[in-house]
Amino acid sequence: MSSGDPLAPVRARFPVLAPGHVWLAGAGPGDPGLLTLDALAGLSQAEVVVHDALVDKRVLALASPQARLEFAGKRGGRPSATQADISQRLIELARADRKVLRLKGGDPFVFGRGGEEVLALAAAGVPFRVIPGVTAGLAALAAASIPATLRGVNRAIILAAGHGEDEEFDWAPLARAGQPIVLYMVMRNLERISVAGKLTHNSFMATKRRAAAIGIAEKFPNERRCPVSRKNSRRYRR
Amino acid sequence: MSSGDPLAPVRARFPVLAPGHVWLAGAGPGDPGLLTLDALAGLSQAEVVVHDALVDKRVLALASPQARLEFAGKRGGRPSATQADISQRLIELARADRKVLRLKGGDPFVFGRGGEEVLALAAAGVPFRVIPGVTAGLAALAAASIPATLRGVNRAIILAAGHGEDEEFDWAPLARAGQPIVLYMVMRNLERISVAGKLTHNSFMATKRRAAAIGIAEKFPNERRCPVSRKNSRRYRR
Protein backbone atom coordinates (compact mmCIF):
# COMPACT_ATOMS: atom_id res chain seq x y z
CA MET A 1 0.00 0.00 0.00
CA SER A 2 1.50 3.34 -0.97
CA SER A 3 1.80 5.92 1.76
CA GLY A 4 -0.25 8.26 -0.44
CA ASP A 5 -3.34 6.06 -0.19
CA PRO A 6 -6.01 8.21 1.46
CA LEU A 7 -7.98 5.13 2.43
CA ALA A 8 -5.25 3.27 4.27
CA PRO A 9 -6.02 4.82 7.68
CA VAL A 10 -9.69 4.18 7.09
CA ARG A 11 -9.24 0.54 6.28
CA ALA A 12 -6.92 0.11 9.23
CA ARG A 13 -9.67 1.15 11.62
CA PHE A 14 -12.60 -0.66 10.05
CA PRO A 15 -14.69 -2.10 12.90
CA VAL A 16 -14.93 -5.88 12.87
CA LEU A 17 -18.19 -7.62 11.97
CA ALA A 18 -18.10 -10.82 14.03
CA PRO A 19 -19.82 -14.13 13.20
CA GLY A 20 -23.29 -14.29 14.73
CA HIS A 21 -23.65 -10.52 14.77
CA VAL A 22 -26.04 -8.35 12.76
CA TRP A 23 -25.22 -4.84 11.62
CA LEU A 24 -28.29 -2.85 10.69
CA ALA A 25 -27.00 -0.13 8.38
CA GLY A 26 -28.41 2.68 6.30
CA ALA A 27 -27.24 2.74 2.70
CA GLY A 28 -28.17 6.38 2.23
CA PRO A 29 -30.30 7.71 -0.62
CA GLY A 30 -28.72 5.75 -3.48
CA ASP A 31 -25.49 7.38 -4.59
CA PRO A 32 -22.65 5.19 -3.25
CA GLY A 33 -20.78 8.41 -2.42
CA LEU A 34 -23.26 8.93 0.40
CA LEU A 35 -22.54 5.57 1.98
CA THR A 36 -20.83 5.80 5.36
CA LEU A 37 -17.46 4.23 6.01
CA ASP A 38 -18.99 1.89 8.61
CA ALA A 39 -21.62 0.71 6.12
CA LEU A 40 -18.81 0.06 3.65
CA ALA A 41 -16.98 -1.86 6.37
CA GLY A 42 -20.09 -3.99 6.77
CA LEU A 43 -20.40 -4.58 3.03
CA SER A 44 -16.78 -5.65 2.78
CA GLN A 45 -17.04 -8.17 5.63
CA ALA A 46 -20.58 -9.53 5.54
CA GLU A 47 -21.18 -13.10 4.46
CA VAL A 48 -24.85 -12.35 3.92
CA VAL A 49 -26.28 -8.97 2.93
CA VAL A 50 -30.04 -8.79 3.52
CA HIS A 51 -31.19 -5.74 1.59
CA ASP A 52 -34.39 -4.03 0.65
CA ALA A 53 -35.59 -2.74 -2.71
CA LEU A 54 -34.38 0.79 -2.10
CA VAL A 55 -30.71 -0.10 -1.86
CA ASP A 56 -28.99 0.99 -5.05
CA LYS A 57 -27.26 -1.62 -7.22
CA ARG A 58 -24.06 0.42 -7.18
CA VAL A 59 -24.04 0.07 -3.40
CA LEU A 60 -24.66 -3.68 -3.48
CA ALA A 61 -21.78 -3.97 -5.95
CA LEU A 62 -19.46 -2.97 -3.09
CA ALA A 63 -20.24 -6.16 -1.17
CA SER A 64 -17.52 -8.75 -0.91
CA PRO A 65 -17.54 -11.08 -3.96
CA GLN A 66 -18.03 -13.95 -1.50
CA ALA A 67 -21.13 -12.40 0.03
CA ARG A 68 -24.60 -13.73 -0.63
CA LEU A 69 -27.14 -11.00 -1.39
CA GLU A 70 -30.63 -11.70 -0.09
CA PHE A 71 -33.52 -9.54 -1.18
CA ALA A 72 -36.00 -8.89 1.61
CA GLY A 73 -37.64 -5.84 0.26
CA LYS A 74 -41.00 -4.28 0.50
CA ARG A 75 -42.42 -2.08 -2.14
CA GLY A 76 -45.70 -0.24 -2.12
CA GLY A 77 -48.43 -2.38 -3.67
CA ARG A 78 -46.40 -5.52 -4.27
CA PRO A 79 -46.53 -8.71 -2.27
CA SER A 80 -43.30 -9.12 -0.37
CA ALA A 81 -41.73 -10.62 2.71
CA THR A 82 -43.50 -9.69 5.93
CA GLN A 83 -41.63 -7.80 8.60
CA ALA A 84 -41.79 -10.81 10.90
CA ASP A 85 -40.26 -12.99 8.15
CA ILE A 86 -37.39 -10.57 7.72
CA SER A 87 -36.65 -10.30 11.43
CA GLN A 88 -36.82 -14.08 11.74
CA ARG A 89 -34.41 -14.50 8.84
CA LEU A 90 -31.89 -12.16 10.48
CA ILE A 91 -32.09 -14.16 13.70
CA GLU A 92 -31.65 -17.45 11.82
CA LEU A 93 -28.60 -16.17 10.01
CA ALA A 94 -27.05 -14.88 13.22
CA ARG A 95 -27.71 -18.18 14.98
CA ALA A 96 -26.01 -19.94 12.07
CA ASP A 97 -22.96 -17.82 12.96
CA ARG A 98 -22.99 -15.80 9.77
CA LYS A 99 -21.67 -12.28 9.58
CA VAL A 100 -24.85 -10.44 8.68
CA LEU A 101 -25.37 -7.00 7.21
CA ARG A 102 -28.98 -5.80 7.10
CA LEU A 103 -28.86 -2.94 4.62
CA LYS A 104 -31.72 -0.49 4.19
CA GLY A 105 -32.19 2.55 2.02
CA GLY A 106 -31.65 5.88 3.78
CA ASP A 107 -31.43 5.59 7.56
CA PRO A 108 -32.69 2.37 9.16
CA PHE A 109 -34.37 4.22 12.04
CA VAL A 110 -36.14 6.86 9.92
CA PHE A 111 -39.25 5.25 8.41
CA GLY A 112 -37.12 2.17 7.76
CA ARG A 113 -38.74 -0.17 10.28
CA GLY A 114 -35.31 -0.78 11.69
CA GLY A 115 -36.79 -0.33 15.15
CA GLU A 116 -38.91 -3.43 14.70
CA GLU A 117 -35.94 -5.48 13.56
CA VAL A 118 -33.78 -4.28 16.42
CA LEU A 119 -36.53 -5.17 18.89
CA ALA A 120 -36.68 -8.68 17.45
CA LEU A 121 -32.89 -9.06 17.55
CA ALA A 122 -32.73 -7.82 21.13
CA ALA A 123 -35.52 -10.21 22.18
CA ALA A 124 -33.62 -13.09 20.57
CA GLY A 125 -30.37 -12.10 22.25
CA VAL A 126 -28.61 -11.47 18.95
CA PRO A 127 -25.82 -8.88 19.21
CA PHE A 128 -26.41 -6.01 16.83
CA ARG A 129 -25.09 -2.65 15.84
CA VAL A 130 -27.03 0.22 14.28
CA ILE A 131 -25.22 2.30 11.69
CA PRO A 132 -27.20 5.41 10.77
CA GLY A 133 -27.24 6.58 7.18
CA VAL A 134 -28.00 9.79 5.33
CA THR A 135 -31.78 9.93 5.28
CA ALA A 136 -33.31 10.27 1.82
CA GLY A 137 -35.51 13.28 2.54
CA LEU A 138 -32.63 15.45 3.69
CA ALA A 139 -30.37 14.20 0.90
CA ALA A 140 -33.03 15.03 -1.69
CA LEU A 141 -33.21 18.59 -0.38
CA ALA A 142 -29.43 18.89 -0.54
CA ALA A 143 -29.42 17.50 -4.10
CA ALA A 144 -31.81 20.30 -5.04
CA SER A 145 -29.60 22.86 -3.24
CA ILE A 146 -32.43 23.58 -0.81
CA PRO A 147 -31.21 24.03 2.79
CA ALA A 148 -33.36 22.05 5.20
CA THR A 149 -33.05 24.95 7.61
CA LEU A 150 -32.17 28.58 7.00
CA ARG A 151 -31.84 31.34 9.58
CA GLY A 152 -34.74 33.73 9.52
CA VAL A 153 -36.83 31.24 7.56
CA ASN A 154 -37.36 28.13 9.65
CA ARG A 155 -36.42 26.92 13.08
CA ALA A 156 -37.37 23.30 12.55
CA ILE A 157 -37.89 20.70 9.87
CA ILE A 158 -40.44 17.92 10.09
CA LEU A 159 -39.87 14.49 8.58
CA ALA A 160 -43.14 12.62 8.11
CA ALA A 161 -44.33 9.39 6.51
CA GLY A 162 -46.87 9.99 3.73
CA HIS A 163 -47.81 6.35 3.82
CA GLY A 164 -48.75 4.38 6.89
CA GLU A 165 -51.26 2.11 8.53
CA ASP A 166 -53.07 5.06 10.04
CA GLU A 167 -54.71 6.62 6.99
CA GLU A 168 -56.87 8.70 9.32
CA PHE A 169 -53.79 10.47 10.64
CA ASP A 170 -54.61 14.13 11.29
CA TRP A 171 -52.19 16.28 9.31
CA ALA A 172 -53.53 19.62 10.47
CA PRO A 173 -51.49 19.90 13.71
CA LEU A 174 -48.26 19.21 11.83
CA ALA A 175 -49.18 21.75 9.16
CA ARG A 176 -50.08 24.30 11.86
CA ALA A 177 -46.60 23.99 13.32
CA GLY A 178 -45.66 26.33 10.47
CA GLN A 179 -42.43 24.55 9.63
CA PRO A 180 -41.49 22.79 6.39
CA ILE A 181 -42.54 19.15 6.11
CA VAL A 182 -40.52 16.56 4.24
CA LEU A 183 -42.84 13.73 3.21
CA TYR A 184 -41.53 10.23 2.62
CA MET A 185 -43.41 7.57 0.63
CA VAL A 186 -46.08 10.03 -0.30
CA MET A 187 -46.72 9.80 -4.01
CA ARG A 188 -49.97 7.86 -3.65
CA ASN A 189 -51.30 10.12 -0.92
CA LEU A 190 -49.97 13.52 -1.85
CA GLU A 191 -53.27 15.02 -2.93
CA ARG A 192 -55.16 13.69 0.09
CA ILE A 193 -52.55 14.87 2.57
CA SER A 194 -52.34 18.24 0.89
CA VAL A 195 -56.07 18.72 1.40
CA ALA A 196 -56.18 17.22 4.89
CA GLY A 197 -53.29 19.38 6.07
CA LYS A 198 -54.61 22.43 4.22
CA LEU A 199 -51.22 22.65 2.59
CA THR A 200 -51.40 24.99 -0.36
CA HIS A 201 -51.01 23.04 -3.54
CA ASN A 202 -48.35 25.13 -5.20
CA SER A 203 -46.28 25.15 -2.06
CA PHE A 204 -45.62 21.47 -2.66
CA MET A 205 -42.62 20.30 -4.48
CA ALA A 206 -43.14 16.66 -5.25
CA THR A 207 -40.51 14.48 -6.77
CA LYS A 208 -40.35 10.81 -7.52
CA ARG A 209 -36.62 10.93 -7.09
CA ARG A 210 -35.90 7.76 -5.13
CA ALA A 211 -38.26 7.16 -2.24
CA ALA A 212 -38.32 10.77 -1.23
CA ALA A 213 -40.95 13.30 -1.98
CA ILE A 214 -40.66 16.73 -0.51
CA GLY A 215 -43.50 18.86 0.69
CA ILE A 216 -43.04 22.42 1.72
CA ALA A 217 -45.79 23.54 4.05
CA GLU A 218 -47.73 26.72 3.64
CA LYS A 219 -45.51 28.89 5.80
CA PHE A 220 -42.67 28.10 3.43
CA PRO A 221 -43.98 29.13 0.00
CA ASN A 222 -41.88 29.29 -3.12
CA GLU A 223 -40.74 32.85 -2.65
CA ARG A 224 -39.13 32.01 0.67
CA ARG A 225 -37.23 29.06 -0.66
CA CYS A 226 -33.52 29.56 -0.63
CA PRO A 227 -32.94 31.15 -4.05
CA VAL A 228 -29.78 29.23 -4.75
CA SER A 229 -28.91 28.87 -8.38
CA ARG A 230 -28.69 25.24 -9.37
CA LYS A 231 -26.48 26.15 -12.29
CA ASN A 232 -23.31 26.19 -10.25
CA SER A 233 -23.89 22.82 -8.67
CA ARG A 234 -25.43 21.04 -11.63
CA ARG A 235 -22.14 19.96 -13.11
CA TYR A 236 -21.76 17.57 -10.25
CA ARG A 237 -24.89 15.58 -11.03
CA ARG A 238 -24.21 12.01 -11.98
CA MET B 1 -3.59 -2.94 -5.35
CA SER B 2 -4.68 -6.41 -4.34
CA SER B 3 -7.95 -7.61 -5.77
CA GLY B 4 -9.16 -8.22 -2.23
CA ASP B 5 -9.09 -4.55 -1.34
CA PRO B 6 -12.68 -3.57 -0.58
CA LEU B 7 -11.89 0.08 -1.10
CA ALA B 8 -10.37 -0.19 -4.58
CA PRO B 9 -13.70 0.30 -6.41
CA VAL B 10 -14.53 3.17 -4.10
CA ARG B 11 -11.28 4.98 -4.73
CA ALA B 12 -11.63 4.40 -8.47
CA ARG B 13 -14.87 6.34 -8.53
CA PHE B 14 -13.99 9.17 -6.17
CA PRO B 15 -15.44 12.37 -7.64
CA VAL B 16 -12.82 14.98 -8.51
CA LEU B 17 -12.51 18.17 -6.48
CA ALA B 18 -11.33 20.76 -9.02
CA PRO B 19 -9.28 23.87 -8.31
CA GLY B 20 -11.49 26.88 -7.65
CA HIS B 21 -14.35 24.69 -6.44
CA VAL B 22 -15.82 24.43 -2.96
CA TRP B 23 -17.34 21.28 -1.53
CA LEU B 24 -19.58 21.90 1.42
CA ALA B 25 -19.67 18.60 3.26
CA GLY B 26 -21.14 17.20 6.45
CA ALA B 27 -18.70 15.34 8.66
CA GLY B 28 -21.44 13.52 10.55
CA PRO B 29 -21.73 13.40 14.33
CA GLY B 30 -18.08 12.76 15.16
CA ASP B 31 -17.21 9.10 14.69
CA PRO B 32 -15.15 8.86 11.47
CA GLY B 33 -17.09 5.69 10.66
CA LEU B 34 -20.10 7.88 9.96
CA LEU B 35 -18.26 9.99 7.40
CA THR B 36 -19.55 9.54 3.85
CA LEU B 37 -17.32 8.33 1.05
CA ASP B 38 -17.77 11.65 -0.78
CA ALA B 39 -16.70 13.61 2.30
CA LEU B 40 -13.65 11.35 2.52
CA ALA B 41 -12.98 12.04 -1.17
CA GLY B 42 -13.06 15.74 -0.33
CA LEU B 43 -10.69 15.31 2.61
CA SER B 44 -8.22 13.36 0.52
CA GLN B 45 -8.11 15.97 -2.26
CA ALA B 46 -8.64 19.34 -0.61
CA GLU B 47 -5.75 21.77 -0.41
CA VAL B 48 -7.59 23.75 2.25
CA VAL B 49 -10.08 22.32 4.74
CA VAL B 50 -12.16 25.03 6.41
CA HIS B 51 -13.75 23.34 9.39
CA ASP B 52 -15.85 24.26 12.37
CA ALA B 53 -15.45 23.36 16.04
CA LEU B 54 -17.77 20.37 15.84
CA VAL B 55 -15.65 18.41 13.38
CA ASP B 56 -13.94 15.60 15.25
CA LYS B 57 -10.12 15.47 15.29
CA ARG B 58 -10.21 11.89 14.06
CA VAL B 59 -12.04 13.13 10.97
CA LEU B 60 -9.58 15.97 10.35
CA ALA B 61 -6.76 13.44 10.62
CA LEU B 62 -8.05 11.93 7.37
CA ALA B 63 -7.17 15.08 5.41
CA SER B 64 -4.29 14.89 2.99
CA PRO B 65 -0.96 15.58 4.78
CA GLN B 66 -0.48 18.46 2.33
CA ALA B 67 -3.79 20.09 3.24
CA ARG B 68 -3.99 23.23 5.32
CA LEU B 69 -6.60 23.08 8.06
CA GLU B 70 -8.34 26.36 8.77
CA PHE B 71 -10.54 26.71 11.82
CA ALA B 72 -13.60 28.83 11.18
CA GLY B 73 -15.77 27.64 13.96
CA LYS B 74 -18.46 29.05 16.07
CA ARG B 75 -19.17 27.92 19.52
CA GLY B 76 -21.89 29.07 21.85
CA GLY B 77 -20.68 31.97 23.99
CA ARG B 78 -17.24 32.39 22.49
CA PRO B 79 -16.11 35.11 20.10
CA SER B 80 -15.51 33.61 16.69
CA ALA B 81 -15.48 34.32 13.00
CA THR B 82 -18.68 35.87 11.70
CA GLN B 83 -20.71 34.02 9.10
CA ALA B 84 -19.90 36.73 6.53
CA ASP B 85 -16.18 36.31 7.24
CA ILE B 86 -16.41 32.56 6.68
CA SER B 87 -18.32 32.89 3.42
CA GLN B 88 -15.88 35.54 2.23
CA ARG B 89 -12.94 33.31 3.08
CA LEU B 90 -14.40 30.45 1.03
CA ILE B 91 -14.84 32.78 -1.95
CA GLU B 92 -11.26 34.09 -1.60
CA LEU B 93 -9.85 30.57 -1.51
CA ALA B 94 -11.88 29.51 -4.54
CA ARG B 95 -10.78 32.60 -6.47
CA ALA B 96 -7.19 31.75 -5.61
CA ASP B 97 -7.86 28.44 -7.40
CA ARG B 98 -7.56 26.29 -4.33
CA LYS B 99 -9.37 23.00 -3.94
CA VAL B 100 -11.57 23.82 -0.98
CA LEU B 101 -13.44 21.57 1.42
CA ARG B 102 -15.80 23.31 3.82
CA LEU B 103 -16.41 20.72 6.49
CA LYS B 104 -19.16 21.03 9.07
CA GLY B 105 -20.33 18.80 11.87
CA GLY B 106 -23.44 16.76 11.10
CA ASP B 107 -25.22 17.82 7.92
CA PRO B 108 -24.35 21.24 6.47
CA PHE B 109 -27.99 22.02 5.63
CA VAL B 110 -29.46 21.00 9.00
CA PHE B 111 -28.83 23.85 11.46
CA GLY B 112 -25.37 24.15 9.94
CA ARG B 113 -25.81 27.51 8.23
CA GLY B 114 -24.66 25.83 5.05
CA GLY B 115 -27.53 27.56 3.27
CA GLU B 116 -26.00 30.94 3.96
CA GLU B 117 -22.61 29.85 2.66
CA VAL B 118 -24.09 28.32 -0.46
CA LEU B 119 -26.03 31.51 -1.14
CA ALA B 120 -22.80 33.51 -0.88
CA LEU B 121 -20.93 31.08 -3.13
CA ALA B 122 -23.72 31.15 -5.71
CA ALA B 123 -23.83 34.96 -5.65
CA ALA B 124 -20.06 35.05 -6.21
CA GLY B 125 -20.27 32.56 -9.06
CA VAL B 126 -18.15 29.98 -7.25
CA PRO B 127 -18.90 26.39 -8.30
CA PHE B 128 -19.90 24.31 -5.31
CA ARG B 129 -21.16 20.92 -4.35
CA VAL B 130 -23.19 20.01 -1.28
CA ILE B 131 -22.45 16.66 0.35
CA PRO B 132 -25.02 15.81 3.01
CA GLY B 133 -23.90 14.10 6.20
CA VAL B 134 -25.48 12.05 8.94
CA THR B 135 -27.20 14.66 11.09
CA ALA B 136 -26.19 14.57 14.75
CA GLY B 137 -29.70 14.40 16.23
CA LEU B 138 -30.63 11.25 14.34
CA ALA B 139 -27.22 9.68 14.94
CA ALA B 140 -27.55 10.34 18.68
CA LEU B 141 -30.87 8.52 18.73
CA ALA B 142 -29.35 5.59 16.85
CA ALA B 143 -26.39 5.52 19.25
CA ALA B 144 -28.91 5.16 22.08
CA SER B 145 -30.76 2.41 20.16
CA ILE B 146 -33.86 4.62 20.00
CA PRO B 147 -35.63 4.45 16.62
CA ALA B 148 -36.48 7.92 15.35
CA THR B 149 -39.74 6.49 14.07
CA LEU B 150 -41.61 3.34 15.05
CA ARG B 151 -44.84 2.03 13.59
CA GLY B 152 -47.77 2.54 15.89
CA VAL B 153 -45.83 5.11 17.91
CA ASN B 154 -45.00 8.07 15.71
CA ARG B 155 -45.61 9.12 12.15
CA ALA B 156 -43.16 12.00 12.10
CA ILE B 157 -40.05 13.31 13.78
CA ILE B 158 -39.30 16.99 14.26
CA LEU B 159 -35.77 18.38 14.20
CA ALA B 160 -35.60 21.79 15.86
CA ALA B 161 -32.95 24.28 16.90
CA GLY B 162 -32.94 24.96 20.63
CA HIS B 163 -30.80 28.02 20.09
CA GLY B 164 -31.51 30.79 17.63
CA GLU B 165 -31.90 34.50 17.10
CA ASP B 166 -35.61 34.29 17.70
CA GLU B 167 -35.74 33.62 21.44
CA GLU B 168 -39.46 34.45 21.36
CA PHE B 169 -40.10 31.46 19.13
CA ASP B 170 -43.42 29.87 20.08
CA TRP B 171 -42.82 26.21 20.89
CA ALA B 172 -46.43 25.33 21.63
CA PRO B 173 -47.52 24.57 18.02
CA LEU B 174 -44.59 22.20 17.54
CA ALA B 175 -45.35 20.49 20.85
CA ARG B 176 -49.04 20.22 19.91
CA ALA B 177 -48.09 18.35 16.74
CA GLY B 178 -47.79 15.37 19.11
CA GLN B 179 -44.64 14.00 17.52
CA PRO B 180 -41.19 13.59 19.08
CA ILE B 181 -38.91 16.60 18.89
CA VAL B 182 -35.16 16.33 18.56
CA LEU B 183 -33.58 19.52 19.86
CA TYR B 184 -30.18 20.69 18.65
CA MET B 185 -28.00 23.20 20.50
CA VAL B 186 -30.40 23.26 23.40
CA MET B 187 -28.46 22.86 26.61
CA ARG B 188 -28.67 26.54 27.57
CA ASN B 189 -32.37 26.77 26.77
CA LEU B 190 -33.72 23.37 27.71
CA GLU B 191 -35.63 24.47 30.78
CA ARG B 192 -37.16 27.49 29.07
CA ILE B 193 -38.25 25.55 25.99
CA SER B 194 -39.62 22.77 28.14
CA VAL B 195 -41.87 25.24 29.91
CA ALA B 196 -42.79 27.24 26.80
CA GLY B 197 -43.72 24.12 24.89
CA LYS B 198 -45.44 22.57 27.90
CA LEU B 199 -43.21 19.58 27.38
CA THR B 200 -43.32 17.35 30.42
CA HIS B 201 -40.05 17.46 32.22
CA ASN B 202 -39.45 13.78 32.64
CA SER B 203 -40.25 13.15 29.01
CA PHE B 204 -37.01 14.90 28.16
CA MET B 205 -33.86 13.02 27.62
CA ALA B 206 -31.05 15.53 27.51
CA THR B 207 -27.54 14.64 26.63
CA LYS B 208 -24.43 16.68 26.17
CA ARG B 209 -23.15 14.05 23.80
CA ARG B 210 -21.64 16.14 21.00
CA ALA B 211 -23.80 19.01 19.88
CA ALA B 212 -26.95 16.98 20.11
CA ALA B 213 -29.53 17.07 22.79
CA ILE B 214 -32.63 15.04 22.46
CA GLY B 215 -36.04 16.01 23.66
CA ILE B 216 -38.95 13.64 23.62
CA ALA B 217 -42.23 15.49 23.57
CA GLU B 218 -45.15 14.71 25.79
CA LYS B 219 -46.89 12.32 23.42
CA PHE B 220 -43.79 10.17 23.52
CA PRO B 221 -43.29 9.49 27.22
CA ASN B 222 -40.76 7.06 28.57
CA GLU B 223 -43.04 4.06 28.57
CA ARG B 224 -43.59 4.33 24.84
CA ARG B 225 -39.93 4.51 24.00
CA CYS B 226 -38.67 1.55 22.09
CA PRO B 227 -37.62 -0.78 24.91
CA VAL B 228 -34.49 -1.98 23.19
CA SER B 229 -31.85 -3.33 25.48
CA ARG B 230 -28.64 -1.41 25.12
CA LYS B 231 -26.70 -4.36 26.42
CA ASN B 232 -26.49 -6.09 23.07
CA SER B 233 -25.25 -3.08 21.20
CA ARG B 234 -22.98 -1.64 23.89
CA ARG B 235 -19.98 -3.70 22.98
CA TYR B 236 -19.67 -1.66 19.81
CA ARG B 237 -19.21 1.66 21.59
CA ARG B 238 -15.88 3.30 20.94
Side-chain angles (χ1 to χ4, degrees), chain A residues 215-231:
Chain A
I216 304 290
E218 57 186 339
K219 286 277 183 74
F220 201 62
N222 289 346
E223 63 270 26
R224 297 190 71 192
R225 254 192 246 154
C226 179
V228 168
S229 162
R230 292 179 62 165
K231 194 182 57 176

Side-chain angles (χ1 to χ4, degrees), chain B residues 116-164:
Chain B
E116 290 163 73
E117 293 176 19
V118 153
L119 276 168
L121 293 171
V126 171
F128 65 87
R129 176 181 190 155
V130 179
I131 301 171
V134 175
T135 187
L138 297 177
L141 284 167
S145 291
I146 300 172
T149 68
L150 196 61
R151 286 213 309 171
V153 174
N154 64 317
R155 177 80 173 242
I157 182 120
I158 299 170
L159 313 182
H163 167 76

